[in-house]
Amino acid sequence: MTAVLGGCGLTGGGSGDVTLKLVAADYGDSADNSSRKYWDQLVKEYESKHSGVKVDVTVYSWNDVDRKVKELVDAGKAPDMAQIGAYADYANKGLLYSADDMLSISTQADFASQLATAGQVKGVQYGLPFAASTRLLFYNKTLFKDAGLTPPKTWNQLAADARALKARGVKYPYALPLGPEEAQAETMQWLLSGGGGYTDTVGTYGFDSAQNVNTFTWLKDDLVGKGLTGPVAPGSLNRAAAFAAFAKGDVGMLNGHPSLMKIAAKQGVKYGMVPMPGVDGASKSAMGVADWMMAFKKNGHAEQVGKFLDYVYSEKNVLAFSRQYDLLPVTTSASDVMSTDRRDAALEPFLKQLPLSELYPVDKTSWASVAAAVKKRIGNAVSADGNPAATLAQLESTASMAENAQ
C-alpha cells in the first residue's frame, strides 16, 4: 500500500488475472481515520467476490496526490484509476476512458445530475464525481443570542449583524478568508450570492461582470472598510485559521463546510447554519465542490476497471465513505437514504443545497491556473487601497489568456 506505484497493471497469460492500480487521496486527518482503511476494507470485499482481479491502492495526502499522479502519467506509468482533485487536463489529452466506456448504465444513471454534468468535457463524461460538499453560513448561537440577533437572510442584514457583534467586542464579526489557502471558495460563494459567478451562462469566464464588481465593491466598502472582518486582513486570512477562530468563539459568522461542525462541537461552540444570504434574500445558487475519479486508458483494463468502479459506486460503499468523512454522496440512491436516515440529520442542510449547487468550472483545463491566480490576487480587491473592478479585470485577462492557451 505504501510503495510507490510501479506503473502498468499485470495481466496474466490465459488466466485473465489482472492487477488494477489505483491512486487515491487521503480524506482522514490521522492514521486512525485514513482513507487507506476505507480502501483496504472495500478492496478485501471486492477481491473475495471477484477472483482473477487484484486491486493495488496507494493513498497520498491531498498535498501530494495530484502531483504524484502527474508524475506517473508523465513517466508513462499512468495508474488504471486516480481519485484526485481535477480530471479535465487528462481528458483533454485523450488519456481517459469515458464513463460510457466502462460503467454500467445503472451506475451512470445514479450520479447526481449536476455532478455528472460537471464531469463532462464537450458533452462526454470523463470525470466521475467521488465526493461532494456544499457550503453554508455558520453563526455562533451564543454570540447571536447575547446580541439579540437573528441569522441574516440578506447582505444588509449580515452587515447589520456584524456591526452589532463588533459593538459587543467580537473579534471577527464576519470572518472573510481570502488568503491563499482556499480563497477561490469564499470568492465563489460571494459571487454566486451576488448573482454572478466565475463563468457566464454559456460557460465563458466572466470575472469582471457588473454583478461581480458590485459584489466585491460591497464587500470592500460595507464589510472590510467598516472593520467588520476582524484584525487580520482578508487577503492574509486562511480558511483553517478562520475555522480555528470560530472554534474558539472569536467569530460571529463565516462560510463553512461540514467538517466545521465537528471542529466547533469539539470546542463546545454552539452554532447554527443557514443558506448563504443574497443581495435581497437567500442566494439562488449554492456553492458545491466535488472531487473526481478517473480511469486511464494506458493499461487497457476498461472492463475490469468498470466492474470495480460499479462496486465502488454501490449505495453501500458511497454511504460508508460519505458518513466516514462527513461528505455528501454523489449518487441519487445514497442521497435518498441519507435524506431520511436520522443518523445523517446533521448533514441534511448541506444535502438540501446540493441540487442548487454550482461547481467550480472544473471542465476547463485552464481552471487550475485560474484558481491559483484567484488565490494570489483576490485579497487585493478588498484591501484599503484596493480596486475591485481593476482586480477582477486583471483576473479576467488572466483567465482569458489561460483559456486561449489550451
Side-chain angles (χ1 to χ4, degrees), residues 24-305:
D26 196 346
Y27 289 79
D29 55 15
S30 69
D32 289 338
N33 70 346
S34 170
S35 297
R36 190 178 308 280
K37 289 189 173 183
Y38 171 80
W39 287 112
D40 276 350
Q41 183 63 31
L42 185 149
V43 167
K44 181 180 178 181
E45 293 177 359
Y46 184 79
E47 290 179 349
S48 71
K49 301 172 184 176
H50 298 81
S51 59
V53 176
K54 300 293 182 183
V55 184
D56 180 4
V57 184
T58 305
V59 175
Y60 292 109
S61 77
W62 272 109
N63 293 330
D64 300 321
V65 68
D66 291 274
R67 175 175 54 82
K68 291 288 188 180
V69 171
K70 184 178 185 302
E71 288 172 355
L72 288 168
V73 173
D74 289 349
K77 298 179 180 180
D80 294 282
M81 296 163 282
Q83 185 271 299
I84 52 178
Y87 69 87
D89 189 41
Y90 298 121
N92 194 52
K93 293 176 181 175
L95 301 179
L96 302 181
Y97 286 120
S98 71
D100 284 339
D101 289 333
M102 51 184 179
L103 297 182
S104 67
I105 293 173
S106 59
T107 297
Q108 291 184 65
D110 200 22
F111 287 128
S113 60
Q114 83 277 29
L115 298 179
T117 299
Q120 294 178 357
V121 172
K122 298 178 181 177
V124 178
Q125 185 179 357
Y126 297 97
L128 313 179
F130 183 76
S133 70
T134 55
R135 308 296 167 93
L136 293 170
L137 182 74
F138 282 68
Y139 65 96
N140 183 309
K141 281 189 171 182
T142 302
L143 296 178
F144 266 63
K145 182 179 179 181
D146 290 347
L149 303 175
T150 56
K153 295 181 179 179
T154 67
W155 286 3
N156 286 339
Q157 290 171 5
L158 186 149
D161 286 350
R163 288 194 296 271
L165 292 167
K166 182 183 179 183
R168 297 181 66 86
V170 175
K171 191 172 181 180
Y172 294 88
Y174 177 86
L176 182 66
L178 295 178
E181 181 190 355
E182 206 192 27
Q184 81 281 8
E186 184 75 12
T187 297
M188 184 168 173
Q189 280 183 272
W190 279 101
L191 296 183
L192 290 174
S193 72
Y198 284 133
T199 57
D200 60 22
T201 54
V202 295
T204 303
Y205 283 118
F207 277 88
D208 56 353
S209 70
Q211 297 96 321
N212 292 348
V213 172
N214 289 340
T215 294
F216 266 80
T217 299
W218 185 89
L219 281 172
K220 179 179 185 296
D221 294 345
D222 289 64
L223 279 190
V224 182
K226 299 289 176 60
L228 302 178
T229 54
V232 179
S236 300
L237 182 65
N238 281 327
R239 180 194 63 180
F243 279 17
F246 186 81
K248 288 174 61 178
D250 290 339
V251 175
M253 298 171 279
L254 84 169
N255 286 316
H257 51 62
S259 69
L260 183 55
M261 295 189 295
K262 282 185 178 178
I263 295 170
K266 189 175 181 180
Q267 298 295 325
V269 171
K270 295 180 180 178
Y271 61 87
M273 302 177 298
V274 293
M276 178 70 179
V279 180
D280 301 313
S283 177
K284 294 180 176 62
S285 297
M287 194 194 87
V289 177
D291 301 322
W292 303 93
M293 177 75 77
M294 65 210 70
F296 289 90
K297 295 178 179 178
K298 175 71 175 175
N299 303 321
H301 295 148
E303 180 181 355
Q304 294 90 344
V305 167

